[in-house]
Amino acid sequence: MIQGPPKIAKFDSFSWDCNKSCKVCTFNQDGKLFAWCNGEVINIVSTADCKLLHTFDLPKVVAFEFSPKSTILATWQSYTTGKDGAAGVPNLQLYDLKTGKCVKSFIQKKMENWRPHWSDDEKICARNVNNEVHFFETNNFDTIANKLHLQKVSNFELSPGEHPCKVAVYVPGSKGAPSFVRLYQYPNFTGPHSALANKSFFKADRVTMLWNSKATAVLVTASTDVDKTGASYYGEQTLHYIAVNGESAVVQLPKNGPIYDVVWNKNATEFCVVYGFMPAKATIFNLKCDPIFDFGTGPRNAAFYSPQGHILVLAGFGNLRGQMEVWDMKNYKLISKPTASDATFFSWCPNGEHIVTATCSPRLRVGNGYKIWHYTGSILYKYDVPNNTELWQVCWQPFVNGVFPAKPIIYQPVPGEIPAEENKPAQAYRPPALRNKPVTSYKLHEEEPPQSTKPSSTDKPMSKTALKNQKKREAKKASKQEAKADDPSDESVLQLGENIAPTSVTTGDPETDKKIKNLKKKLKAIEQLKELQASGKTLEKNQVIYPPKCSMAVQ
């Protein structure tokens, strides 16, 4: 069933589609078109007046997508072969939305990476075909304009933004050779120096490549299916940074464990990583891969920047309780800490003020519904689907960039129509023998508080000459201290011998402390012999003629 948004008058004319086979829907990039498939046909309507524009007879379609400028509708359905093993019919189809006709069909056996990749201006469209990336220009799919051929190319990503377009390609390693990611600028694919950047690495069965909004750098999350050390059930992950100017680095994460999420800020100058064994850490890094701010540890596995980049939500969904942390990214201050129990979906509204969380099928088939929140933690709207009904998808209507500028952040919760959920503290089980005894607090993990990791502004970087002179001074000082410790006639040692203090003196050097301790013992023996001699007791001959060697040091 397709349902319109709540309490918005202009969508009152939208007629509900009550077919229970409705499982997929989408908007185009500017939000002016809306399409859904009900198991019989694909319908496309205008969001301005809900007028039906196109109907495509495609009952078996399970995924579809608009091109960036809404000139092409790409649809995909499961690939099937004939009973005699003959090749099946093309299952990836491209439709012209002006004429409603199919302009091209391809065979795409796997649903993974099924969709064609367009540049934002639609001048380029690319597909991965048999270890090659095929490029088409101006939506002319009858002619392959360019090919990028690398052995066993398994994944690629086009950069966002206008022309010139850049492409990141991934080639998995084989026979002891490392995997690598290379960046190219279209159409410069040939020649020994055609690549803008190259980064090779081991331990990668698959990668996820993420461009920033300005197309200046890519974050590559490399993952293995099995962690050979046995430390993690989820395999092993590493994070790599690659810039179009040729710079590359491994992002050093201070806590071991899986990498749950990596997201760029809209400003393209910083990114957030959620990583580490639970409780997980979250850290902001700059373009030099240096940490800027550490959010400490907590029950989280996802991060979501607002469309304007001024707010960050850290959340723990899936097998976690749905706790969210809303942060002001200018002042690194916590705004609110709501909880969306059993949430399987999260999305920011384009205005950067509201959030939707939902419990959807097939992840959870009970308790389906969605909630609309204000970022201060207030619940503004709540919808629970009727019994024996499933919620499959929730999505905001998108808008073009610049329609909603960032507003000043407020910390006081806005009034909500629905009271927030009260988090009842979970009580640990206590055996009957301990129920009448005092509770002893015990923490399985020590929580780390948020902290800034920026270098102090007063710590100016030292020049090479200053660093060299500082090292010389430290070495000279260390050599003097060693000479003093080895010389028994040193004044400091004499003074310690004459004035034996009852308290122990430590210098910080274990060897020096040992020498002082032995010297004190010998000096104490000399004092005891002097007292015996003064009392009239006759000393042994060797005690008079051969005093301890250190006695000369105190005379």
Side-chain angles (χ1 to χ4, degrees):
M1 179 176 66
I2 294 293
Q3 174 186 345
K7 301 182 180 180
I8 300 180
K10 79 170 188 175
F11 289 102
D12 288 343
S13 59
F14 180 82
S15 57
W16 287 25
D17 191 333
C18 297
N19 193 321
K20 292 187 177 181
S21 297
C22 293
K23 293 183 179 181
V24 59
C25 63
T26 187
F27 286 94
N28 68 338
Q29 284 197 2
D30 59 10
K32 294 181 180 180
L33 299 178
F34 177 69
W36 75 95
C37 180
N38 58 13
E40 298 176 357
V41 296
I42 294 178
N43 294 315
I44 300 178
V45 299
S46 168
T47 56
D49 53 8
C50 298
K51 181 181 178 181
L52 182 65
L53 302 178
H54 294 285
T55 298
F56 298 98
D57 186 15
L58 297 168
K60 296 182 180 180
V61 164
V62 295
F64 53 86
E65 185 180 78
F66 289 99
S67 63
K69 290 186 175 293
S70 303
T71 57
I72 300 292
L73 178 70
T75 67
W76 185 89
Q77 57 187 354
S78 299
Y79 178 75
T80 57
T81 58
K83 294 181 180 179
D84 55 352
V89 296
N91 59 326
L92 171 58
Q93 298 173 323
L94 305 179
Y95 289 87
D96 188 334
L97 289 180
K98 289 183 179 179
T99 62
K101 296 182 179 180
C102 180
V103 295
K104 192 66 177 178
S105 296
F106 300 99
I107 291 179
Q108 177 68 33
K109 295 182 179 180
K110 296 182 180 179
M111 187 175 183
E112 182 182 6
N113 299 325
W114 73 269
R115 64 183 185 87
H117 294 246
W118 275 278
S119 60
D120 287 351
D121 54 10
E122 286 194 15
K123 290 183 178 179
I124 300 169
C125 180
R127 290 185 65 239
N128 187 1
V129 182
N130 298 330
N131 300 331
E132 291 182 339
V133 182
H134 292 181
F135 292 88
F136 306 91
E137 294 182 352
T138 62
N139 287 330
N140 179 12
F141 298 100
D142 295 326
T143 304
I144 299 175
N146 277 288
K147 290 183 180 181
L148 174 57
H149 177 72
L150 290 172
Q151 187 176 6
K152 297 183 180 179
V153 173
S154 65
N155 196 6
F156 76 98
E157 287 291 340
L158 294 185
S159 64
E162 299 288 329
H163 197 75
C165 182
K166 303 176 184 68
V167 57
V169 295
Y170 164 66
V171 176
S174 61
K175 297 181 180 180
S179 306
F180 63 85
V181 171
R182 287 180 185 169
L183 309 184
Y184 294 92
Q185 180 171 303
Y186 183 84
N188 302 323
F189 299 141
T190 59
H193 304 292
S194 58
L196 300 175
N198 180 79
K199 177 67 175 176
S200 59
F201 43 83
F202 290 94
K203 296 183 179 181
D205 295 326
R206 62 187 182 278
V207 301
T208 302
M209 297 178 287
L210 187 65
W211 283 95
N212 63 7
S213 60
K214 295 182 180 179
T216 58
V218 179
L219 289 173
V220 180
T221 305
S223 306
T224 60
D225 295 328
V226 178
D227 185 358
K228 294 182 179 179
T229 64
S232 174
Y233 171 80
Y234 300 98
E236 191 174 359
Q237 294 86 25
T238 53
L239 182 61
H240 305 270
Y241 169 87
I242 311 173
V244 295
N245 61 6
E247 295 180 354
S248 63
V250 178
V251 182
Q252 300 295 333
L253 304 176
K255 187 174 184 179
N256 295 329
I259 298 175
Y260 303 103
D261 202 6
V262 180
V263 287
W264 280 103
N265 194 336
K266 182 70 174 178
N267 58 23
T269 61
E270 64 182 30
F271 57 93
C272 178
V273 186
V274 184
Y275 60 95
F277 295 113
M278 288 294 168
K281 288 178 70 71
T283 306
I284 303 294
F285 295 88
N286 59 16
L287 294 182
K288 295 181 179 179
C289 299
D290 295 327
I292 299 175
F293 188 82
D294 189 341
F295 294 97
T297 57
R300 54 175 82 107
N301 55 15
F304 307 92
Y305 276 105
S306 65
Q308 294 76 15
H310 63 319
I311 299 176
L312 175 69
V313 175
L314 301 175
F317 297 140
N319 56 352
L320 299 177
R321 295 184 178 180
Q323 180 175 304
M324 298 184 289
E325 303 170 44
V326 185
W327 287 85
D328 176 359
M329 293 308 296
K330 183 178 180 180
N331 302 310
Y332 293 109
K333 186 177 179 181
L334 186 65
I335 302 173
S336 62
K337 205 170 181 179
T339 299
S341 301
D342 299 330
T344 61
F345 175 79
F346 177 102
S347 179
W348 273 100
C349 178
N351 65 9
E353 293 187 66
H354 300 95
I355 294 165
V356 63
T357 61
T359 304
C360 300
S361 294
R363 180 64 185 268
L364 285 177
R365 297 186 181 274
V366 294
N368 286 185
Y370 65 89
K371 299 174 185 175
I372 297 178
W373 308 69
H374 191 266
Y375 65 80
T376 54
S378 303
I379 301 177
L380 306 180
Y381 182 82
K382 180 179 179 181
Y383 177 80
D384 295 324
V385 299
N387 294 332
N388 301 323
T389 307
E390 295 176 345
L391 177 66
W392 281 81
Q393 190 177 357
V394 177
C395 53
W396 290 103
Q397 179 185 6
F399 290 85
V400 295
N401 293 332
V403 174
F404 297 103
K407 294 183 179 180
I409 295 176
I410 59 176
Y411 293 87
Q412 187 68 25
V414 301
E417 298 183 2
I418 299 172
E421 298 178 1
E422 295 184 2
N423 294 328
K424 297 180 180 180
Q427 297 182 356
Y429 170 77
R430 303 191 71 205
L434 299 177
R435 289 176 184 174
N436 296 325
K437 295 183 179 180
V439 179
T440 57
S441 60
Y442 174 77
K443 289 186 178 180
L444 185 61
H445 303 282
E446 287 295 331
E447 295 183 359
E448 298 180 20
Q451 59 180 343
S452 175
T453 54
K454 284 185 178 180
S456 176
S457 58
T458 57
D459 298 338
K460 296 182 179 180
M462 299 177 68
S463 64
K464 292 183 178 180
T465 306
L467 286 170
K468 188 175 181 181
N469 293 335
Q470 184 183 16
K471 290 181 179 179
K472 285 183 178 179
R473 289 193 297 269
E474 291 175 353
K476 190 175 180 181
K477 185 177 180 181
S479 61
K480 284 184 177 180
Q481 290 179 350
E482 290 178 1
K484 288 182 180 179
D486 294 336
D487 186 6
S489 62
D490 187 72
E491 292 182 359
S492 61
V493 179
L494 290 173
Q495 186 175 0
L496 285 170
E498 292 176 352
N499 303 309
I500 299 174
T503 59
S504 60
V505 179
T506 59
T507 62
D509 185 4
E511 292 295 329
T512 305
D513 293 342
K514 187 176 180 180
K515 291 179 181 180
I516 293 173
K517 186 178 179 180
N518 293 334
L519 182 59
K520 285 182 177 182
K521 288 182 179 180
K522 295 179 181 179
L523 293 174
K524 187 175 181 181
I526 294 173
E527 293 296 329
Q528 291 175 351
L529 292 174
K530 286 182 178 180
E531 291 177 0
L532 293 174
Q533 192 177 28
S535 63
K537 186 175 180 180
T538 304
L539 300 178
E540 297 292 336
K541 188 176 181 180
N542 60 348
Q543 292 176 329
V544 178
I545 299 175
Y546 305 105
K549 292 180 181 180
C550 63
S551 61
M552 295 298 294
V554 296
Q555 290 179 355

